[in-house]
């Protein structure tokens, strides 16, 4: 396999005036945002599935469903931070 091409972006970022913590936060935020977006798309797919066949599922705890985006946001941040 050919070697992976190095882009030397880390050196350019470290040479900039940005603090190291800002670079780390930006990288973690990008991973968390991507994970949260994928999770929300999965929730949307599940909602559409239930919406297309409403006779099979009843929503007895609809207010609890409002907390799912918040919990998935926190989970995405947890996974992103623990991966560092």
């Amino acid at each position: 396999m050919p070697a992976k091409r190095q882009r030397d972006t880390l050196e350019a970022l470290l040479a900039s005036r940005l603090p190291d913590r800002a670079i780390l936060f930006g990288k973690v935020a990008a991973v968390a945002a991507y994970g949260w977006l994928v999770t929300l798309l999965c929730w949307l797919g599940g909602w559409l599935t239930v919406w297309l066949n409403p006779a099979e599922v009843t929503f007895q705890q609809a207010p609890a469903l409002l907390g799912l985006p918040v919990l998935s946001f926190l989970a995405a941040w947890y996974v992103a931070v623990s991966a560092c």
Side-chain angles (χ1 to χ4, degrees):
M1 288 184 84
K4 187 176 178 182
R5 190 177 128 209
Q6 225 177 355
R7 297 182 189 164
D8 296 326
T9 56
L10 182 60
E11 287 82 8
L13 280 173
L14 291 175
S16 70
R17 293 185 179 198
L18 287 173
D20 293 346
R21 290 183 187 208
I23 296 170
L24 179 64
F25 179 76
K27 289 182 175 285
V28 170
V31 171
Y34 178 75
W36 191 43
L37 178 67
V38 170
T39 304
L40 291 179
L41 288 175
C42 290
W43 282 115
L44 179 64
W47 179 79
L48 285 173
T49 303
V50 170
W51 182 70
L52 291 173
N53 195 4
E56 298 294 324
V57 178
T58 59
F59 290 107
Q60 297 175 355
Q61 298 176 345
L65 293 177
L66 298 176
L68 291 177
V70 174
L71 290 175
S72 63
F73 177 77
L74 294 174
W77 271 96
Y78 175 75
V79 170
V81 169
S82 65
C84 288

